[in-house]
Amino acid sequence: MINIIVELSKYLIIILMTLFTFQCFRIFKKKDEDDKKYVLRKQVILILFLNLVAFLVMYLQTMEIKMLIMYLQVAAYIVVLQVMYRIFYKKASMLVVNNMCMLLSCGFIMLSRLDFEKAEKQFFIVVAGTVISLLVPVIIRKVKLLKDLTWLYGILGIILLLAVLALSKVTGGANLALEIGGISFQFSELVKITFVFFVAGILRGDPNFKKVVTATVVAGIHVMILVLSTDLGSALVFFMTYVVMVYVATKKPLYALAGLAGGSLAAVAAYFLFGHVRQRVVAWKAPFSVYETNGYQIVQSLFAIGAGGWFGVGLFAGSPKSIPVVTQDFIFAAICEEMGAIFAICLLLVCMSCFLMILNISMRMSNKFYKLIALGLGTEYAFQVFLTVGGTTKFIPMTGITLPLVSYGGSSVICTIVMLAIIQGLYILREDEGAELEKQKQERNQRPGAQYEQKRRKGTEQTREKSLEEKIEEETEKSLRW
């Protein structure tokens, strides 16, 4: 009986995920605010129902009450977060909140299935990160000093990266995290935010050649420290973010082409300088030839993706634990195996929806500093998703980057939540700008003589249209006579 429930549940989970994903893009077509709110409420119900089905199935498979307790915790978190945003940030983008809740839910489900202790730890880290993030939109909205702290961001980022390089232990061939009081901190995740603020601060005015060179030097120092730490995945994220921001700020393709050429040369140099880079390239090109050593991880990932097919094998019906470091680097493969390729594709579309929303906010910001911040954070998010999924599916060599909000990792999940809170702050700023423009328009219309001026303009436009029609008639008559 339980096997039948598990088999049917995987189709129900896919349906719920598909409906949620459809609503993510459907809402962009809605113009009426009530229609948008209706779609957003449906998304919340779908998230809660999907969690209920998944955790109920895992309870039936394990008969452990902790699965139901985790569901209640996750459901309470989602409901409280929705209420908090609706009370304190009425102008916030609830689509971004819903997407964040769905991605976190997918992470909690898979971590509970793979390693329940890590799932519990991740949950409390997420709660702590969310409490911190609720203050961020207020800071973005009220503190105008942020754009004047450019060099503080740059110096702070370099100091944190140097601390990791000098004091951290080597893990997986790289200096990734610094342990303080028994707690591990991966400062490169925090520096992703300070780095974007620095580049945006440098390029916010007139991005002349001197400013571009300054930004390039400081960005190069960030990337070089990461390369010396052999954290090449993060170095690649920093580099691509810098190239995109410089190109958008200057609108000069030459800078982008020069950056890509330099990055290509650096990648070749890294191949010859670092042995673990060569090993990953070999595992990418021919994983089965080094199956027992460096290729084992990627081969097991490919087996898992292939075994899952379109609909997956069901929760607790696969063997994703055979993949090394599955809760961090290869959680996407575990999702493909037990949830199916359709679910995984929907997950990527939800990530794309987040990215499109961030780009939309960036394009509509009038302040260039805030515009570049939204663009930089969105680029980091999108490129991180690309590196994770690309490495898992053998599209590119594995870089050791986690899937934002889904993979296990305290520093990553906290910084991603804070990053989305910054985006919320920018969205609220944009809404404030729109409300101020509307207010100014209404004030102009209420001034003495404003109605007369509108009638005069309307009459002038009608006269122009009439004269244009008369000219068209004259030309038509001439043509007929001819």
Side-chain angles (χ1 to χ4, degrees):
M1 184 64 183
I2 292 177
N3 291 334
I4 295 174
I5 294 174
V6 171
E7 185 67 21
L8 293 176
S9 68
K10 67 181 186 181
Y11 297 106
L12 180 57
I13 290 173
I14 289 173
I15 291 171
L16 294 171
M17 186 64 173
T18 304
L19 290 173
F20 178 89
T21 307
F22 175 72
Q23 302 298 336
C24 286
F25 294 91
R26 183 189 174 203
I27 196 170
F28 289 111
K29 294 184 177 180
K30 299 292 183 181
K31 303 298 181 184
D32 186 70
E33 287 300 319
D34 290 334
D35 291 341
K36 289 182 179 180
K37 290 178 181 178
Y38 175 69
V39 172
L40 293 169
R41 285 194 295 268
K42 283 204 301 186
Q43 283 190 316
V44 176
I45 294 171
L46 290 170
I47 296 171
L48 294 172
F49 195 30
L50 186 147
N51 276 283
L52 175 62
V53 174
F55 280 103
L56 183 60
V57 168
M58 289 192 288
Y59 167 72
L60 293 175
Q61 291 279 50
T62 61
M63 299 308 294
E64 294 179 350
I65 195 68
K66 63 184 181 181
M67 291 295 179
L68 297 181
I69 294 174
M70 176 60 78
Y71 166 71
L72 294 176
Q73 291 176 339
V74 174
Y77 169 81
I78 293 169
V79 172
V80 171
L81 183 63
Q82 294 284 334
V83 172
M84 294 289 283
Y85 263 95
R86 282 174 167 81
I87 292 175
F88 296 107
Y89 299 114
K90 295 180 180 180
K91 294 182 180 180
S93 170
M94 295 310 297
L95 177 61
V96 174
V97 176
N98 288 352
N99 287 347
M100 184 181 81
C101 289
M102 176 55 84
L103 294 173
L104 287 171
S105 296
C106 294
F108 290 138
I109 291 168
M110 288 311 302
L111 290 176
S112 297
R113 186 274 179 251
L114 297 169
D115 190 331
F116 192 81
E117 290 184 3
K118 287 185 176 180
E120 282 186 318
K121 187 177 179 181
Q122 181 92 331
F123 176 78
F124 291 114
I125 291 173
V126 166
V127 171
T130 304
V131 171
I132 296 170
S133 71
L134 287 173
L135 302 175
V136 173
V138 176
I139 297 172
I140 296 295
R141 188 181 183 187
K142 299 294 184 181
V143 181
K144 304 301 180 183
L145 189 65
L146 292 175
K147 62 180 180 295
D148 300 321
L149 303 176
T150 301
W151 284 103
L152 177 62
Y153 303 133
I155 294 170
L156 178 63
I158 291 172
I159 291 173
L160 291 176
L161 292 180
L162 284 174
V164 174
L165 174 62
L167 303 175
S168 66
K169 296 180 181 179
V170 177
T171 304
N175 300 78
L176 298 176
L178 194 62
E179 191 170 315
I180 303 174
I183 302 174
S184 181
F185 295 92
Q186 193 168 348
F187 285 134
S188 62
E189 296 292 338
L190 175 61
V191 178
K192 286 177 184 177
I193 297 175
T194 61
F195 178 77
V196 167
F197 273 74
F198 168 78
V199 177
I202 287 287
L203 303 176
R204 65 188 172 95
D206 179 24
N208 52 38
F209 181 73
K210 182 180 178 180
K211 290 184 177 179
V212 173
V213 171
T214 304
T216 303
V217 171
V218 178
I221 294 172
H222 280 76
V223 173
M224 185 58 65
I225 296 172
L226 288 167
V227 170
L228 292 175
S229 302
T230 60
D231 187 2
L232 301 183
S234 296
L236 189 56
V237 173
F238 277 61
F239 171 74
M240 290 303 301
T241 302
Y242 162 76
V243 170
V244 171
M245 291 181 72
V246 168
Y247 171 68
V248 172
T250 61
K251 298 181 176 62
K252 293 182 179 180
L254 182 61
Y255 288 141
L257 293 174
L260 292 174
S264 300
L265 293 175
V268 174
Y271 175 80
F272 289 103
L273 289 173
F274 301 106
H276 76 283
V277 174
R278 290 193 295 273
Q279 293 172 359
R280 288 186 176 182
V281 172
V282 170
W284 167 61
K285 292 174 63 178
F288 288 94
S289 65
V290 287
Y291 171 71
E292 295 182 355
T293 54
N294 300 318
Y296 181 78
Q297 193 176 33
I298 185 64
V299 168
Q300 290 299 119
S301 173
L302 295 175
F303 282 154
I305 295 171
W310 287 107
F311 303 102
V313 296
L315 289 166
F316 277 94
S319 54
K321 288 186 178 181
S322 62
I323 308 171
V325 204
V326 65
T327 58
Q328 294 166 295
D329 299 351
F330 282 82
I331 198 166
F332 185 75
I335 291 172
C336 289
E337 180 178 10
E338 297 204 340
M339 302 287 215
I342 295 176
F343 186 97
I345 291 171
C346 289
L347 181 69
L348 294 180
L349 290 174
V350 172
C351 294
M352 184 185 294
S353 173
C354 279
F355 178 61
L356 292 176
M357 194 67 192
I358 295 171
L359 282 186
N360 180 51
I361 294 169
S362 175
M363 289 187 294
R364 297 196 179 195
M365 294 299 299
S366 59
N367 188 304
K368 191 173 182 180
F369 176 68
Y370 295 129
K371 181 188 289 288
L372 289 174
I373 286 176
L375 175 70
L377 295 178
T379 303
E380 285 183 342
Y381 174 80
F383 202 67
Q384 192 169 338
V385 173
F386 168 74
L387 289 178
T388 306
V389 177
T392 303
T393 57
K394 196 182 162 296
F395 183 73
I396 58 173
M398 191 61 199
T399 56
I401 294 290
T402 56
L403 187 60
L405 301 177
V406 181
S407 297
Y408 174 74
S411 301
S412 174
V413 74
I414 287 179
C415 290
T416 304
I417 291 172
V418 171
M419 184 187 299
L420 292 177
I422 294 171
I423 296 299
Q424 291 285 17
L426 298 178
Y427 184 86
I428 294 169
L429 270 180
R430 193 196 76 178
E431 293 296 304
D432 289 343
E433 289 176 355
E436 184 63 26
L437 290 174
E438 186 65 28
K439 183 179 178 181
Q440 292 175 1
K441 185 178 178 181
Q442 290 177 358
E443 288 177 353
R444 284 197 302 268
N445 293 337
Q446 291 173 358
R447 289 174 186 171
Q451 293 181 351
Y452 170 77
E453 182 65 20
Q454 287 180 350
K455 289 180 180 179
R456 188 185 65 80
R457 289 179 181 175
K458 188 175 181 180
T460 304
E461 292 175 356
Q462 290 176 347
T463 304
R464 288 176 181 173
E465 291 177 358
K466 186 176 180 181
S467 61
L468 182 61
E469 290 176 357
E470 289 175 352
K471 287 181 180 180
I472 293 172
E473 288 179 359
E474 288 178 1
E475 292 296 328
T476 304
E477 289 179 1
K478 288 180 182 179
S479 300
L480 291 173
R481 287 171 188 170
W482 175 257

